[in-house]
Amino acid sequence: MGPSDMHPSACDAFFGCGYCSEAYPDEKQLSVHIKMQHEGQKYLSVPAPLPSRERRLLHQPSAAAISKDIPLSEVNRHCTPEDCWVALNGKVYDLSEFMDRHPGGPTTILSWAGKDASKLFNEIHKGVKIDSYLRPEALLGNLGVDESLMSDEFWHTLREARIVEIREEIDRVLSQTSSTHKADSIQRLLQDKSLDSGLKTKLQRLETQKRVALDSEEYDKAAGVKKEIEKLLAAQDVAHLHEVPLESKNLSGGIPLSEVARHNKPHDCWIAINRSVYDLTDFLMHHPEQRNSILAWAGRDASAMWDKIPGRFPSKQWMEFFMRPEAKMGEVGEEPEKDSVMEQLKQLHDELRRLEGPSKADIEAAKTSVKVPGKTDAPTLSEESRFPKLAEISAGKELPFFTRAEVAKHTSSEEPYMIIHNRVYNLKPLLGSHPGGDDILLSKAGTDCTKDFEVFEHSEKARVQRDRDLLVGQLVPAENTDWSADAQVSQVVGEEVSELMRYMKYKVTDVALLAVGWYVYKTLQNRKPLSQFTYSRALRHLHLIMAVGIFGAVGTAQAAANTEGQTRKQMLWWHKQSGLAMLVALILRVFFRLKSGIPPRFPGNPLVQMIETQSLRAFYLLALMLPMSGIANEYFLKWAPGSDRTGNAGDDKRNDRLAKQSIDAHKLLGKFLQYAWLPFHLGYTTLYHYSQGRGVVRKVSPFI
């Protein structure tokens, strides 16, 4: 096969060196080569055929060239339940079929999808030969490519070239027949990228419910989910999309092994032994101690193991002691004739699905389930133990299960999902009425927001309303956060504090103590009575305290907006306390202002003096409205009578609306204070008079 015989995608993608005969599939590799081998020369690339060191790969079939050895980067891509590859002791296996009949449950395998699980496997299953539990086709190849033969990048170049070839081959075969290929199993159907997204979501949710049932060994429930899947696929608007067998064929002429292969789950377990087929589903439910040996052969012919271990499955003694006559389904029959063209299409589609792997969206969603927050990330008390009314909301409900990967796909405004305390919520009813605004909800859609939720200290009323209106499911148990029942409340959003941060905290405390000491010292130094024609000393002290408080409130608001976790919680607490302190100080300031002398105004234009007067009035209004709007938000969120007291659901919506209006007004007033009033008051009123030689500071300072 010469370069002219190869597919264009396999030979045009190479960058040849302009100074020698070397060629590379990537521009970066060529750039490195020129810098190392042709020092001082400019980058020069010429079109090049396949490099000689890799050309011999294409003298064998393309599939063989790329499937003998598999790089770990390729294994990483196959990390979904329907396309689950795992590396074990230097070999790569597709465990998608085996997952459901794994004695330890499917979720254990799924947690290692796309990874090398050799260390864990050898610790738990020392001496176990995994191949004896798997079908031959589960072994995909060896882990890692021969770097002396090809690079990891070139392996993927070959993979992409082979994908193009397969698609062309499928088109060629389809042009010779009127038949079309359709998925004949749930796994293949879920891997079909042309499958309707709505149907795929429904199937994935049901598969999740099934895996949870298998994890907890509730085989009756798993069988019930299987019937729901069959009912969904049998629907008139879905049946034409697939060829998944939904019921057993006529067994009077014998049961072919291809039919036995379909019944390979703990809740649907057929096994062929010595030309007879047995249904061991009921036996598995009542004899858990024998599940390992039986599930290893679920859906297969176990005759090769007959009497290998006397007294163990499958052996003559075992059959005489355990096997009931009603378990026998019939005799093994002949395989039905197969259409050679359809078999060829099936093989091509299987290879195409294997090379393409999951979509980027599915891979990204699967990665979200890799890191499950634990005690070191966000330990907290059990939410129901802190808020007992929550237990009443979900009592008696059978909530469906979701994986973190499934939740991660729900990020649109049409169906935004969020995880809070291991439960799944649909936020759509909350859009438009959330006090924090829709942007903050949509920015966190598809993620676990327990930590952020606890930062804002939602009340029990808000949590009850959340569970009543938004709760749609719960996380699969294997992906639950391990909340500590004995954790302290202060640990709800606790974080590791670095040595530097701890040191800075102490230094800030030292500076604050020094500032207070300096203030007391200066106050004691300046205690003599002032003229009745100037501001009183008490009013001057309040002026200074309020100035510090205003900058503290603005600073803590900015800090809270740019931090997370415990730091954000602390900044919000300080922001609220400084706001309340300013409200108290404002009342005292009004009182002392009425009793204080008033100094004469600085000379100037009457218009300027009027603007200064309005600026001071705006300050009093802002100092009043800012804390009041914050208090109103807290009131409507936590204390205003809702449906739990009045019995009227409309009261909750009214409270949410008023809370949102209050916080929106609070934010708007805060921005006006920060970006309009403060720059004007300090920039003009203070700096202008100071530039004219007028003692603005002396006019209001308490230290004179």
Side-chain angles (χ1 to χ4, degrees), residues 11-271:
C11 60
D12 288 352
F14 298 96
F15 300 87
C17 177
Y19 306 102
C20 66
S21 59
E22 288 294 325
Y24 297 88
D26 185 82
E27 285 182 290
K28 292 181 180 178
Q29 292 177 320
L30 176 59
S31 178
V32 172
H33 164 77
I34 292 175
K35 288 179 181 179
M36 298 295 292
Q37 301 297 327
H38 308 285
E39 189 175 354
Q41 298 293 339
K42 295 181 179 179
Y43 176 81
L44 180 60
S45 173
V46 296
L50 190 66
S52 57
R53 65 181 179 277
E54 291 154 338
R55 188 176 301 152
R56 59 193 176 94
L57 283 173
L58 296 185
H59 286 284
Q60 55 183 312
S62 300
I66 63 171
S67 62
K68 182 179 180 181
D69 298 315
I70 302 171
L72 185 59
S73 59
E74 176 65 10
V75 178
N76 295 154
R77 295 175 59 247
H78 299 264
C79 55
T80 64
E82 56 271 8
D83 193 3
C84 175
W85 290 16
V86 177
L88 292 171
N89 299 323
K91 296 184 181 296
V92 179
Y93 297 92
D94 183 351
L95 301 183
S96 308
E97 178 273 331
F98 174 71
M99 188 190 305
D100 285 351
R101 56 188 178 90
H102 177 233
T107 304
T108 304
I109 291 180
L110 190 56
S111 65
W112 286 93
K115 304 175 190 174
D116 187 341
S118 303
K119 183 178 180 180
L120 179 68
F121 178 84
N122 293 330
E123 288 176 354
I124 298 176
H125 302 295
K126 188 175 181 179
V128 174
K129 295 182 179 179
I130 183 66
D131 298 85
S132 62
Y133 287 83
L134 305 175
R135 295 178 177 179
E137 59 269 24
L139 176 60
L140 301 175
N142 299 320
L143 179 65
V145 295
D146 186 349
E147 294 184 359
S148 64
L149 184 62
M150 71 168 79
S151 64
D152 190 280
E153 293 82 0
F154 183 70
W155 190 95
H156 286 284
T157 301
L158 282 177
R159 178 180 66 83
E160 292 167 2
R162 177 58 182 163
I163 288 173
V164 174
E165 291 179 355
I166 294 174
R167 287 174 177 164
E168 291 179 349
E169 184 67 11
I170 289 174
D171 291 339
R172 184 190 65 78
V173 175
L174 286 174
S175 67
Q176 300 174 1
T177 180
S178 58
S179 303
T180 57
H181 175 268
K182 297 178 182 178
D184 60 356
S185 69
I186 302 294
Q187 179 186 347
R188 290 189 175 101
L189 185 60
L190 287 172
Q191 289 178 292
D192 186 353
K193 290 183 171 57
S194 64
L195 183 65
D196 175 70
S197 59
L199 175 59
K200 183 176 181 178
T201 299
K202 291 178 182 178
L203 283 173
Q204 287 177 328
R205 286 183 182 175
L206 288 171
E207 286 289 308
T208 298
Q209 315 311 310
K210 182 189 70 177
R211 288 195 298 273
V212 172
L214 292 176
D215 279 335
S216 57
E217 298 184 352
E218 296 179 280
Y219 297 148
D220 286 336
K221 186 178 289 187
V225 175
K226 178 176 180 289
K227 291 180 180 178
E228 289 186 49
I229 294 175
E230 292 174 347
K231 183 179 179 181
L232 174 63
L233 294 179
Q236 191 172 0
D237 58 337
V238 176
H240 67 284
L241 300 175
H242 64 89
E243 293 180 351
V244 179
L246 302 179
E247 57 184 24
S248 299
K249 301 174 183 177
N250 187 357
L251 306 180
S252 58
I255 306 172
L257 290 177
S258 58
E259 176 65 20
V260 176
R262 290 183 48 239
H263 304 270
N264 60 343
K265 314 294 182 187
H267 55 284
D268 184 18
C269 178
W270 291 12
I271 297 179

Side-chain angles (χ1 to χ4, degrees), residues 7 29 43 102 180 215 223 300 314 338 403 479 507 571 647 650:
H7 192 278
Q29 292 177 320
Y43 176 81
H102 177 233
T180 57
D215 279 335
R300 297 200 286 168
K338 298 180 180 178
T403 64
E479 294 186 6
K507 289 301 156 187
M571 290 299 103

